[in-house]
Amino acid sequence: AMPPPPHRHHQHRLRRSRSSSITPSSPPPRSRTLPQSTLILAHLLCCGHLLLHDKSALASGDFDSSTTSNTTSPPPSLSTASPTSSSPTISSTSSPTLPPHRQHNKCPLKPKLTPEITHVPPLVIGHRGASYNVPEHTLAGYRLALELGADYIEPDLVPTKDGHLVAIHSVDLNITTNVDTVFPNRRRNDKTMEGSKDSGYYIHDFTLEEIKQLKVKQRVEDTAARSRYFDGLFEVPTLVEIIDLLQEWNDNARPYVGLDTQKIKGRAGLYAELKKPAFLQEDAGINVADLLIKEIKNNPTAKEMFLSMHECANLKADEYQVPPLVLQCFDRDTLAYLHKQFTTDQVLSYGSFPPPMVLLLSYKDCNNEDMWYAIQRMNVAAVGPDKRCLLETDEEGLGRDFVNSAKEHELGIHAWTERLETEFVDTDRFATAQEELRYLFCDLEIEGIFAENVDVAVRVGSVACSKDGAQGGGTGGGKEGEKKTSDDDGSKGKGGPSEGTGAASTNAGANSACQNVLFDQSDQQQLATVAAGFTLLGGLLGSFLTYLVSIGCNRRRVQRGTTRRQVRIPTAEIRDENELI
């Protein structure tokens, strides 16, 4: 007897199971590894990114030669260590911090121009504050100098009897204070200063408490251009008070006046001079340099501002920050001692560079034949000459020779002192202080100026110099160029473009000068070449990616077609099953 036919449901399952067991084997699963072409493209993109990164680092001066060597080692991800090794994995981004002397100083006193930084205006140093407007060495004068745009405020530091540093012009209090009326019996006549007998009210004979009883007066008395309305209103400030004022300006005031977005120069700094260190050491046994170091180390605000250097470390390629602290002195031994202390002391040298040292030079020093021989053995970043050293133009051209010698020694030049009054201007060559400044900035190309009229120096320095040495639409010349100056700048009394009152042609000349400095023809050609290169690279990458996508689509299309064309081969079992049904 024949067995009953299977249920239709079971017949359907039987067909599916048998047919699946006899169909040709399905193609192997697609490999999860990326195609070789994709790996090559990723490698090219990675190498290109690293190459561009290295070029930008070289351009910004942020490239450390210690990162390259003649021997190559595999990156951490390709390490040949065994998988069972217990040594920790070293990340490619974590590297030990280099000691300060091996790190790149991003806050030099004399910045180098780069493709990102094409122009840095001359530094304006508020000479003892804003001394033309307010009596010198007062907190009000320092604050006004900062408000007018000074890059530095410049205190003259001298010690009190009880070891505090205060800011005052001279060791003799009688020059700028009312000490003769407050302490009339404290005058001394037995002092020998720099080989000559002198008398006065010497500051190291007074305590800080006594100094705070004095009031400051205007020092420059041989000109009617300076106001006397502020005499007797302000006291002598201490170094601690000056540091607090500078910190308050940088942290609290600058953001509210839009200066925190400034990429060049950045925060204001302290440009401190140590007065008469040899005399004070001989007469009172006071080491002014040690007092300065002690006050910086014991003042948390000073340590954060002058020693941390975190702001300099975080600068971008198109940013420049002035050094937060600069030390200046006429005495070479004092500067050498300071440099040694800031280099070897663990607190002073931790995480920072020594502050730039500036050697001040009198007019007599400039004419000393052995001066440059002595300077080249010193660790100084700049020289601060009397401006007469630069304006000397006899047959031998001493002024320009001085500038050339400084450039040969890679030293900056910060001249002193520019004042607005004509009695302090070389009127044989220049009609105004503005013209004298243009000559110093554009013709001699000095890097900084000590100015008592801070606003004038800032305005003149902010106008870029043209390639022929003239500034903006002016000439910066002398009396031989007065006619052209008056034509371009308006009347001499208005001061031309530095006063902001020139004609429209002056403004156009200044704008064109700025454009010439920022984007000359060679820069435009380089930009065009870079743009064309990126366009070509983008087109090649786009074509290559399109090619990869088309290859992938073709492979999928072929695989689908092959699957659809697969033929089931009938077997004897299937035929018997059909017959059975």
Side-chain angles (χ1 to χ4, degrees):
M2 297 181 59
H7 194 272
R8 299 181 60 88
H9 174 68
H10 293 286
Q11 294 178 8
H12 178 67
R13 293 179 59 185
L14 182 62
R15 288 193 192 129
R16 290 186 57 186
S17 62
R18 291 181 178 180
S19 62
S20 61
S21 62
I22 61 175
T23 53
S25 60
S26 59
R30 187 179 304 173
S31 175
R32 296 181 179 271
T33 59
L34 295 175
Q36 188 69 19
S37 56
T38 306
L39 293 175
I40 294 175
L41 176 61
H43 181 71
L44 290 175
L45 292 175
C46 179
C47 293
H49 171 71
L50 294 176
L51 181 60
L52 291 176
H53 175 74
D54 289 343
K55 286 186 176 180
S56 62
L58 286 171
S60 62
D62 201 13
F63 183 78
D64 187 2
S65 60
S66 62
T67 59
T68 60
S69 77
N70 295 329
T71 60
T72 59
S73 59
S77 59
L78 301 180
S79 175
T80 57
S82 61
T84 59
S85 175
S86 60
S87 60
T89 303
I90 302 177
S91 174
S92 59
T93 59
S94 62
S95 59
T97 303
L98 295 176
H101 65 277
R102 290 187 58 193
Q103 296 176 355
H104 175 68
N105 187 2
K106 293 185 176 181
C107 294
L109 187 61
K110 184 179 180 180
K112 295 183 179 180
L113 299 182
T114 65
E116 293 82 9
I117 302 177
T118 58
H119 174 65
V120 177
L123 297 177
V124 177
I125 305 155
H127 189 239
R128 306 167 187 166
S131 304
Y132 177 84
N133 309 91
V134 181
E136 63 185 36
H137 293 309
T138 60
L139 294 179
Y142 295 136
R143 173 62 188 241
L144 180 58
L146 295 172
E147 293 176 357
L148 294 176
D151 301 302
Y152 285 101
I153 53 176
E154 189 246 355
D156 297 335
L157 300 179
V158 290
T160 63
K161 184 178 181 179
D162 49 350
H164 296 276
L165 287 178
V166 297
I168 201 165
H169 166 69
S170 173
V171 294
D172 186 1
L173 294 170
N174 196 37
I175 297 178
T176 56
T177 71
N178 61 342
V179 64
D180 59 335
T181 61
V182 179
F183 302 101
N185 299 324
R186 301 283 292 273
R187 186 182 184 92
R188 295 183 59 181
N189 300 314
D190 59 346
K191 299 295 181 185
T192 302
M193 186 185 306
E194 298 177 349
S196 62
K197 291 289 184 179
D198 200 356
S199 62
Y201 298 84
Y202 293 98
I203 189 168
H204 51 280
D205 293 336
F206 295 81
T207 64
L208 179 60
E209 182 180 359
E210 293 172 329
I211 295 296
K212 282 297 184 178
Q213 300 178 37
L214 307 179
K215 298 299 180 181
V216 179
K217 63 182 179 180
Q218 177 64 254
R219 182 182 66 87
V220 180
E221 299 178 349
D222 54 351
T223 174
R226 303 209 177 192
S227 172
R228 300 289 176 178
Y229 292 114
F230 300 106
D231 288 2
L233 296 180
F234 308 111
E235 63 182 23
V236 177
T238 65
L239 175 60
V240 175
E241 293 172 336
I242 298 172
I243 292 175
D244 290 341
L245 179 144
L246 185 61
Q247 185 267 341
E248 192 273 337
W249 166 259
N250 283 327
D251 291 348
N252 300 329
R254 289 182 75 255
Y256 286 96
V257 293
L259 295 179
D260 56 333
T261 60
Q262 182 176 325
K263 292 186 176 182
I264 302 299
K265 294 185 178 179
R267 296 162 64 92
L270 188 72
Y271 205 117
E273 178 184 355
L274 300 185
K275 282 284 189 177
K276 305 292 184 182
F279 167 74
L280 292 168
Q281 180 70 49
E282 179 182 355
D283 187 77
I286 299 177
N287 190 319
V288 187
D290 283 340
L291 283 181
L292 174 65
I293 292 173
K294 178 183 177 181
E295 294 214 12
I296 291 178
K297 294 172 68 173
N298 295 336
N299 189 332
T301 302
K303 290 174 62 176
E304 173 67 19
M305 187 184 306
F306 301 144
L307 302 182
S308 64
M309 300 291 284
H310 63 275
E311 295 175 355
C312 296
N314 296 327
L315 291 178
K316 298 179 181 179
D318 59 344
E319 296 177 338
Y320 167 66
Q321 165 70 54
V322 298
L325 176 65
V326 179
L327 300 178
Q328 55 170 332
C329 191
F330 283 94
D331 189 79
R332 302 173 186 174
D333 294 335
T334 300
L335 291 179
Y337 177 78
L338 286 170
H339 184 273
K340 180 179 179 181
Q341 294 300 312
F342 275 91
T343 305
T344 59
D345 187 274
Q346 293 184 355
V347 176
L348 298 176
S349 62
Y350 178 76
S352 64
F353 291 88
M357 307 288 169
V358 177
L359 178 64
L360 299 175
L361 301 173
S362 65
Y363 182 69
K364 180 181 178 181
D365 295 330
C366 295
N367 294 285
N368 188 346
E369 296 180 355
D370 298 331
M371 179 193 64
W372 292 111
Y373 175 76
I375 289 177
Q376 69 181 1
R377 296 180 297 170
M378 299 179 61
N379 291 301
V380 294
V383 290
D386 186 333
K387 69 176 182 179
R388 293 180 296 170
C389 302
L390 308 178
L391 300 177
E392 192 77 27
T393 56
D394 60 3
E395 296 179 357
E396 298 179 359
L398 296 179
R400 196 168 293 278
D401 287 345
F402 183 94
V403 174
N404 294 334
S405 298
K407 292 182 181 297
E408 290 176 1
H409 290 82
E410 298 183 350
L411 298 174
I413 301 176
H414 298 172
W416 52 271
T417 303
E418 194 65 46
R419 299 179 174 94
L420 188 62
E421 298 95 329
T422 54
E423 52 258 51
F424 301 116
V425 177
D426 184 5
T427 53
D428 292 335
R429 303 174 58 200
F430 309 102
T432 63
Q434 290 91 331
E435 290 186 8
E436 190 174 78
L437 276 173
R438 292 187 199 113
Y439 175 77
L440 294 173
F441 289 163
C442 295
D443 289 66
L444 298 185
E445 298 179 346
I446 68 172
E447 288 79 15
I449 189 70
F450 291 82
E452 297 192 356
N453 298 85
V454 175
D455 55 333
V456 175
V458 170
R459 287 200 300 270
V460 176
S462 63
V463 180
C465 302
S466 60
K467 293 184 177 181
D468 59 356
Q471 186 176 31
T475 62
K479 286 198 171 182
E480 64 275 7
E482 284 183 7
K483 184 176 185 302
K484 184 176 180 181
T485 303
S486 62
D487 292 339
D488 292 344
D489 297 348
S491 63
K492 289 185 289 183
K494 293 183 179 180
S498 65
E499 297 286 352
T501 58
S505 59
T506 300
N507 295 330
N511 293 333
S512 63
C514 293
Q515 293 175 358
N516 290 335
V517 172
L518 297 177
F519 298 103
D520 56 11
Q521 186 175 2
S522 60
D523 293 335
Q524 295 176 357
Q525 293 177 353
Q526 293 178 0
L527 290 174
T529 303
V530 171
F534 274 106
T535 302
L536 179 60
L537 179 61
L540 292 176
L541 291 178
S543 301
F544 191 69
L545 291 174
T546 303
Y547 173 71
L548 292 179
V549 172
S550 63
I551 290 178
C553 294
N554 291 334
R555 287 182 178 179
R556 289 190 176 185
R557 188 179 299 109
V558 171
Q559 291 173 357
R560 291 175 180 175
T562 303
T563 303
R564 294 174 178 174
R565 289 193 300 270
Q566 289 178 353
V567 181
R568 292 178 55 190
I569 303 175
T571 61
E573 295 183 10
I574 296 178
R575 288 196 299 271
D576 294 342
E577 179 183 345
N578 293 333
E579 293 176 357
L580 184 62
I581 294 176

